[in-house]
Amino acid sequence: LDIINSDARPGIKALCEVAGISHQPAFAEDVSFRLVPRLNAAGRMAHASLALQLLTTDDIATARQLAQSLDGLNYQRRELERSILESILEDYRQQPDLLKNQTLVKWDPTWHQGVLGIVASRIVETYYRPVILINVTGELGKGSARSIPGLNLYKALESCQHCLEHFGGHSMAAGLTIKTENLLEFQRSFEKAVRRIPDSDNRTPRLTVDTQIHLDDISEVLIDEIETLSPFGNQNPEPVFMAQNIKVVSSKIVGENHRRMMLVQDDQPSGKPVSAICFNAEDNLLKKTMFSRIAFRLRWNRWNGNKTIQLIIEDAK
C-alpha cells in the first residue's frame, strides 16, 4: 500500500487514475474492488500480458493508454457477468424445482469462460450452495466451481473424477475440464457426492457479529481506530457490529440495486441520522422502512478528497 500510494510506478499511478482514486491514498478495499478487478480483466477478457505491460512500463503515457484499455475490458467483463447472471437467475425463477437440489450445475456454449468463476460466486451468494458453471465448446466443457464454508469442494469433485478429464483447486474454488457426453452423469454424481457430506442438507449462511453498538456511539475516532487494524482479510476479519430498532429516514436506489439510506435509532438521544448503504440489496431490503436489527461494518466513505461516516449493511431483519 505504501508503494501504491507513493506514485513511484507509472502503471499503478495510471490505474489509480482510471479507478478514481488518484487524489486520495489507496486502502485495502480500493486494491480489492478497484485495482485488482481491472488487472484481472486482462486475463479474463483478452490476455494477461496487458496487465504485465502496465505494471512494468516506465512511461506514463503508455501506462495511461494501457490503463484505459484495462478499464474498458473491465466494463465489458461487468456487462458479461450481469448478462450471464441474469439469464441463470431467470432460469431458476422459471424452474424453481431445480432449487430442490443441494448443488447447481449448469452449462451453455454461449457463456464466456473468463467470467464464470465470478458469476458462480454471485449465485452461491444468492442460493447458498455449491455452484458449477461450464462453457461448452464442441466436445469439451471448461468450468468454474465455487462452494460454501464447511463444504469441501475439492473432495466432492474427487468423488466425481471418473466423469472429468481434469480438475484442480481447493475447498472453496476449483476449475475443471469435462467431455460434453459426461455432463449429465457428472451433474448427478456431484449432487450425490455433496449429499454424502455430513449436514449438507442443513447449511445456512452465518454472519459473525463482534458486538452490539448504539448509533450515537459511532464517531470519527472509532472509525479511525478500526482503520488502524487494517488491512482486513481472511485471517484478520473486519469487525461487524449490530444495532437494534433502526428507522429509515430517507433512501434511494443507486446503481442497479444498491440502497443508500439515512438511518436513526428509536432511542437515539441525538436523533442525528447516519449514512448507510446496502450493496446488491435483496428485494426484502429494498423498501423496508424499519429494521428490528441490522449487521454492518463501519468505514469512511471517501470521495473527491472528502470523507464521511458510512455503515455498510451486511444483513438486516
Side-chain angles (χ1 to χ4, degrees):
L1 287 173
D2 288 340
I3 293 172
I4 288 171
N5 290 318
S6 71
D7 281 346
R9 304 191 180 191
I12 294 178
K13 178 179 173 66
L15 196 63
C16 287
E17 289 174 358
V18 299
I21 53 175
S22 57
H23 302 298
Q24 61 193 46
F27 292 86
E29 59 266 24
D30 295 315
V31 175
S32 297
F33 297 109
R34 296 189 184 188
L35 301 185
V36 167
R38 287 171 169 82
L39 291 172
N40 280 347
R44 293 183 186 280
M45 304 301 298
H47 196 284
S49 62
L50 288 173
L52 177 64
Q53 292 172 44
L54 174 74
L55 295 175
T56 56
T57 184
D58 292 325
D59 180 65
I60 188 62
T62 301
R64 285 177 173 143
Q65 183 179 9
L66 289 166
Q68 287 291 343
S69 297
L70 290 180
D71 194 51
L73 290 173
N74 191 51
Y75 176 80
Q76 294 176 34
R77 186 267 306 169
R78 289 200 309 267
E79 288 300 298
L80 268 176
E81 285 173 24
R82 183 194 58 76
S83 174
I84 296 172
L85 176 64
E86 184 51 41
S87 69
I88 293 173
L89 296 180
E90 181 60 27
D91 282 348
Y92 288 128
R93 285 192 286 265
Q94 297 292 332
Q95 305 176 72
D97 284 351
L98 295 175
L99 297 175
K100 293 178 180 178
N101 290 338
Q102 292 180 26
T103 63
L104 299 177
V105 179
K106 289 182 71 68
W107 54 87
D108 192 289
T110 66
W111 291 344
H112 192 292
Q113 185 186 339
V115 302
L116 291 186
I118 305 173
V119 177
S121 295
R122 293 287 301 276
I123 298 173
V124 169
E125 291 173 7
T126 303
Y127 295 118
Y128 204 70
R129 65 198 73 187
V131 173
I132 301 178
L133 302 180
I134 303 169
N135 164 259
V136 177
T137 304
E139 297 180 353
L140 276 183
K142 292 186 177 182
S144 292
R146 297 295 184 269
S147 192
I148 58 176
L151 197 155
N152 192 314
L153 179 63
Y154 186 86
K155 290 290 185 184
L157 289 175
E158 263 190 332
S159 302
C160 310
Q161 58 184 309
H162 61 284
C163 301
L164 302 172
E165 298 302 297
H166 308 285
F167 75 98
H170 52 81
S171 63
M172 293 294 291
L176 58 88
T177 303
I178 183 172
K179 288 184 178 178
T180 53
E181 63 191 50
N182 293 331
L183 284 168
L184 287 173
E185 183 183 355
F186 171 69
Q187 189 179 45
R188 292 189 292 265
S189 296
F190 186 64
E191 175 73 13
K192 290 178 182 177
V194 168
R195 285 183 179 274
R196 286 195 295 267
I197 297 174
D199 297 327
S200 61
D201 61 344
N202 187 31
R203 298 183 185 276
T204 55
R206 294 184 180 184
L207 178 66
T208 300
V209 173
D210 292 284
T211 189
Q212 186 170 327
I213 194 173
H214 199 281
L215 293 191
D216 270 350
D217 295 327
I218 297 171
S219 67
E220 295 181 358
V221 172
L222 174 60
I223 300 180
D224 281 340
E225 289 176 340
I226 292 171
E227 206 165 76
T228 64
L229 303 175
S230 66
F232 299 113
N234 190 42
Q235 298 300 316
N236 183 37
E238 186 177 3
V240 177
F241 300 91
M242 183 183 77
Q244 294 182 308
N245 302 320
I246 302 298
K247 185 184 301 182
V248 180
V249 177
S250 63
S251 76
K252 65 178 180 179
I253 304 302
V254 294
E256 291 187 9
N257 57 343
H258 311 316
R259 188 184 187 190
R260 191 180 296 281
M261 299 171 281
M262 296 300 293
L263 306 177
V264 296
Q265 202 160 10
D266 261 358
D267 60 345
Q268 188 175 344
S270 72
K272 184 179 179 181
V274 180
S275 176
I277 189 165
C278 183
F279 293 107
N280 299 310
E282 297 178 2
D283 291 343
N284 65 317
L285 297 182
L286 286 174
K287 297 180 180 179
K288 288 188 71 170
T289 58
M290 189 77 190
F291 299 108
S292 61
R293 62 187 186 275
I294 59 173
F296 57 92
R297 305 177 195 276
L298 283 171
R299 292 182 190 166
W300 286 116
N301 178 29
R302 293 180 168 88
W303 183 253
N304 287 337
N306 300 314
K307 63 180 185 180
T308 55
I309 293 173
Q310 182 169 256
L311 278 61
I312 311 296
I313 305 295
E314 296 294 332
D315 198 9
K317 302 294 183 186

